[in-house]
Amino acid sequence: MKRATFRLQPVLELRRTEERAAAAAAAAAMNAATDADRRATEYETALSASTMPRSLPAGTFVAAMVLLRTAATDASEARSMATAQAEQAEAVRAEWTAAAQRTKALERLAERHREAQAHAMDMAEARAADDLVTGRAGRACRTEEEQAWTD
């Protein structure tokens, strides 16, 4: 009996490749989001740890205030970047989930195909066994009249 192949096997392989690529992209996006969050936390920690001395000359005070304002802006931008990276990572993870679902659907079809093939082979074996058994039984139980009639 010729074994039928799963006609969607190339599509299944493509889906698996897409899922692996999506998983790698999700991992990279998660790493980027984690790094961005770490940097933002470092900026915020450095900004909160900075203090102004009690007495400064006017020019130095203005320069320190400008420096603190710039640091606060950098920390704010870093936090915004971390938030954007986290949202991007979530979107990429959702794409990975969708790719995994598409792959899973085709894998279920492939499994059903394998089960149908196994069932067909089992049925063919059972029919062959039945044919052997019924053929032998038919030949062994003939009466002399039946043999005379067929001769």
Side-chain angles (χ1 to χ4, degrees), residues 21-97:
M30 184 55 78
N31 286 339
T34 303
D35 288 344
D37 184 58
R38 182 187 45 77
R39 273 186 258 111
T41 303
E42 288 173 0
Y43 275 127
E44 291 165 349
T45 303
L47 183 62
S48 66
S50 63
T51 58
M52 294 283 293
R54 290 213 175 263
S55 64
L56 288 175
T60 306
F61 177 76
V62 169
M65 290 304 294
V66 168
L67 182 64
L68 283 174
R69 180 174 172 84
T70 303
T73 302
D74 288 347
S76 176
E77 288 176 359
R79 180 53 59 196
S80 295
M81 180 62 78
T83 302
Q85 289 285 340
E87 290 171 357
Q88 178 65 25
E90 183 61 29
V92 172
R93 190 195 61 75
E95 290 174 13
W96 175 31
T97 302

Side-chain angles (χ1 to χ4, degrees), residues 111-123:
E111 181 61 29
R112 286 182 194 160
H113 176 75
R114 283 190 294 277
E115 289 172 359
Q117 282 183 323
H119 181 70
M121 289 182 71
D122 291 344
M123 294 302 293

